[in-house]
Amino acid sequence: MTTAPHPIRQPNLSIVKQPTEPTAEPVEGAVVEHHGEIVKQDSNPSWMRAKLAAVEAAKDHALDNKLYAGWSARGYKNLGARWLEAYRDDHPQMIATAKASRKAAKGNSTAEADAHDLVKTRREAYRRHRLFHLGKTAAWSAVGMAGAATGAIVGGTLVETAIGVVAYATGVYHGRPGVDDESDAALPSPDFAAGSGVPVSGAPVIADDNGHQAGRRPARPQGEEDLVTVLIKAGIVTEAQRDETRLASPIRTNGPGWTATVELPPGMKASAATGKAADIASALRVKKTRIELKADTSDDGHEGQFVLWVADHDNPYGTGKKPSQLIEAERWNFWRDGVPLGGDARSVRQALHLMWSSLMVGGLQDYGKSYLARLIAAAAALDPHMRIVLITGKAGPDWAPLKGIAHAYIAGSTPDRLAAVHDILDETITDMQGRGERLERLFEEDPAACPEGKVTPEMARQRGSELTLVIVDELQELLDAAALTKVKIGDEEEGGGRGRSGKDVLVEKFARFVRVARYVGGMGVFITQRPDSDSVPTKLRDVCVKRGCFRVKGAGSSRMVLGDDAVAAGAAPHLLGEASKGVVVLEQGADEGHVTLKTDVIDLPDFKAICERGRSLREEAGTLTGAAVRHGERASEAAESVALRRDCLHVFDAAKAERMRPETLTTWLKERRPEVYADLTPESLKSLLRAAGAGSPVPLGAMDGLVNPRGYKRESMIRSGRP
């Protein structure tokens, strides 16, 4: 017998075969063929037939599943497992973790005493929880039994039968297919079989509070043995070294993930583990994007300890954009506050402090390098005591807002632009050296004025001693173009001296600026798109104390940008995935090592508004210099030219004229706006209109009693359009 599928539907009808025997008795009513049998179809209405089919299917389903006896038994087994899980409520695991901490603290009397107290506290909490859980269970059981007994006494056999059916149905409901046999499949418990070091398969898909799709829950070992097993499977330690490998801190929740500090066997360095993030991910059965490994640089750490952090989902940094706080800031103190960059995987805010250092940034295209550089430029723009030099190998709108505040602005990699780059670098290096000489004289006169031999915040606020930030974008384009040129070195020979590769000279000048500028308030930011030996010259990278790398294709590219030591210490931009846009691995060049974070965002319209505020701040402070001053003058002249042509157009319209002599036009302008044109003469008007692009006076034909005077036509003023 076949069981009707769910939802119940009527069987399909088929064409009836003609009787083969002429003597066959006729069949009354309609007939159908079902599985080769000729059956008679009753004449009941369709709704009645559907009901009967549903009843028949339900009966068949119950019989096929042996009246659900197995379901009911499994249901009460599941209920028992859930009760036991609630009875334990993770307390045994917490006690085990506390015991591990006590074991790890052996030899440190204070830490051991604290750990012993923690074990005692957790045992007491477990005892109270069990008493409460047992009491609650007993109370509900008493209420249920009393209700059932009362119903049986009052209602007799009918109520007893109903109680039995309800109890049976409860077991069937909780044991139906699709319900897990164990309750902890729905709880955030470890995915390791206890003590085995092997992840349990089939962990459910979960999402965090921020809506991240978690995918398979990351495996969390239950204790030290499980995590050491993972390290063995990852090839970091051997089975023979199991007893010498221990946890310096217990496995614990840390933000949207879990963490542990591991102490390797004596003689092994942390770098033996920090470079094997992908191997650990494989052993844990999670994606490599979830793994963070760092040498333990804390006060309690040493060369043989590392910190492992495993995220709860594949992209712990999220996919949304977070606007930078600089968008709303009126001004900024670059020296004191640094650059607010963004948050790490645990949502801890990070800031970049560039004082006394320079930054090299590399990575694949479209992963956020320009956004990072824009954050730095925005923080500098809002500090009126910052001088900005912008050099980019490609012309475009990315850096155009800086024209109003940059001391120098060079965009492009044509020969004339490269010559301008060399000039501005020579000028800036000379300025940095001059500041160093002034600092030397100041120290000789008053040692207390610069006790560390470096520029101070007070000095940086003096005119001509502002902090200087050189931003170099599209470095690879500049170097490629420079490689095609020769730069003259020396002038002993007639016709010029020897020529050197323009690329080599440019790299040397960039590196020289970084070296001479460090202690006098100079900083460099170098952004390159292709992280290879051609676009990231070692000579330049090595003088940049800080380095940032977005997603790259391989560990070799990571080392090219961040350096061998950083990658050996666990920095792994090559492990970032397609979804890691805006995520940067920042090597900070200090004991804190590297950090991986997602940068905030400033879009171009907001950047333009920031730069406009920055210009106003510099005008008030009197620190607007160089190209920014000339750009402002040109912008002012352009605005005045547009206004003049617009006013002339108004005059033509008011006079309902298509042509006008300079003398007449001057008179009308004076009458219309005396506060602006009081000193205007026909000759000065001609000069202004020529500069405004309206051209020189042209013959107008006979007018005003003159045969062919010269003047202006209305069409020459239309270029500016109406206001």
Side-chain angles (χ1 to χ4, degrees), residues 136-167:
K136 185 170 67 172
T137 302
W140 280 110
S141 298
V143 170
M145 292 176 65
T150 302
I153 293 172
V154 175
T157 305
L158 186 61
V159 174
E160 290 178 359
T161 303
I163 292 173
V165 169
V166 170

Side-chain angles (χ1 to χ4, degrees), residues 282-302:
S282 176
L284 286 171
R285 289 294 185 261
V286 300
K287 289 187 176 180
K288 59 187 179 181
T289 52
R290 297 187 181 187
I291 305 295
E292 276 191 12
L293 287 172
K294 293 180 67 174
D296 185 2
T297 57
S298 66
D299 292 340
D300 297 327
H302 58 73

Side-chain angles (χ1 to χ4, degrees), residues 13-245:
L13 299 180
S14 59
I15 299 175
V16 180
K17 293 181 179 179
Q18 295 295 327
T20 57
E21 297 293 335
T23 58
E25 296 182 3
V27 181
E28 296 181 3
V31 294
V32 298
E33 181 181 12
H34 181 62
H35 295 289
E37 299 179 54
I38 303 297
V39 298
K40 179 180 178 180
Q41 180 179 344
D42 63 37
S43 57
N44 290 324
S46 59
W47 63 269
M48 179 64 74
R49 291 198 302 273
K51 268 193 170 183
L52 291 174
V55 171
E56 183 71 17
K59 182 184 75 173
D60 292 347
H61 194 272
L63 291 175
D64 286 350
N65 289 282
K66 299 178 182 179
L67 299 179
Y68 309 117
W71 290 19
S72 184
R74 186 166 63 245
Y76 279 103
K77 177 187 174 184
N78 289 347
L79 288 172
R82 292 172 194 166
W83 183 90
L84 185 60
E85 181 68 26
Y87 178 76
R88 292 172 176 168
D89 195 29
D90 292 334
H91 283 280
Q93 181 181 346
M94 291 189 290
I95 293 172
T97 301
K99 285 182 176 179
S101 299
R102 183 174 61 185
K103 181 180 177 181
K106 209 162 191 178
N108 186 332
S109 58
T110 303
E112 193 172 3
D114 291 342
H116 182 74
D117 291 341
L118 180 61
V119 173
K120 187 175 180 182
T121 300
R122 289 184 174 176
R123 280 177 173 166
E124 289 293 334
Y126 188 23
R127 189 177 296 111
R128 290 194 301 271
H129 170 75
R130 284 182 294 177
L131 290 173
F132 176 77
H133 190 67
L134 289 171
K136 185 170 67 172
T137 302
W140 280 110
S141 298
V143 170
M145 292 176 65
T150 302
I153 293 172
V154 175
T157 305
L158 186 61
V159 174
E160 290 178 359
T161 303
I163 292 173
V165 169
V166 170
Y168 189 78
T170 299
V172 170
Y173 177 78
H174 289 284
R176 68 193 187 280
V179 177
D180 296 329
D181 289 341
E182 299 296 335
S183 62
D184 56 356
L187 297 173
S189 58
D191 285 340
F192 272 76
S196 70
V198 180
V200 177
S201 63
V205 173
I206 57 176
D208 68 5
D209 293 338
N210 296 322
H212 291 101
Q213 184 66 39
R216 189 175 297 277
R217 187 192 307 118
R220 179 184 300 199
Q222 283 190 331
E224 182 172 303
E225 288 299 316
D226 284 341
L227 186 51
V228 173
T229 299
V230 169
L231 300 181
I232 292 172
K233 290 180 179 295
I236 295 171
V237 296
T238 64
E239 184 65 45
Q241 295 173 308
R242 178 184 288 274
D243 293 338
E244 295 181 298
T245 308

Side-chain angles (χ1 to χ4, degrees), residues 503-515:
K503 176 182 176 180
D504 293 342
V505 175
L506 196 57
V507 169
E508 289 175 4
K509 286 185 178 181
F510 283 143
R512 189 176 177 215
F513 162 76
V514 172
R515 291 194 301 269

